[in-house]
Amino acid sequence: MEFEDFLRGNYQLNDKSVKDYISRWNGIVNRGLYNGETELTPSLIASVDMEYPEDSHYRLTLKRYIEFQNKRKRKVNKDS
């Protein structure tokens, strides 16, 4: 499952919203703000808020990506 599929399936988002999430996610990664964390820590939130102070959608994108990663890991472990 890809992040796009996760967003559509779990949050019933349309294509434009999914595209917006992916764009925000790419910005987070390109700025080096996410380093594989498995939870939304205060320092991670602070770094995203500092980089994008006027847009809480970045925090939500990060939260949903971490949720996606954790769900995917659980599925892999369950299938092993």
Side-chain angles (χ1 to χ4, degrees), residues 56-71:
S56 64
H57 288 98
Y58 282 86
R59 184 189 289 198
L60 182 59
T61 298
L62 186 57
K63 177 182 176 195
R64 289 186 173 172
Y65 186 80
I66 289 172
E67 179 186 350
F68 161 69
Q69 286 292 79
N70 289 334
K71 196 171 205 177

Side-chain angles (χ1 to χ4, degrees), residues 2-42:
E2 296 298 320
F3 188 38
E4 295 92 340
D5 300 326
F6 172 81
L7 292 169
R8 282 188 187 96
N10 289 297
Y11 297 102
Q12 293 74 44
L13 299 176
N14 62 35
D15 288 341
K16 182 188 179 326
S17 293
V18 169
K19 185 178 176 182
D20 290 343
Y21 267 90
I22 299 306
S23 177
R24 286 190 297 268
W25 175 246
N26 288 333
I28 289 168
V29 170
N30 290 340
R31 286 184 167 73
L33 301 174
Y34 177 77
N35 296 301
E37 291 87 350
T38 58
E39 62 184 46
L40 199 55
T41 64

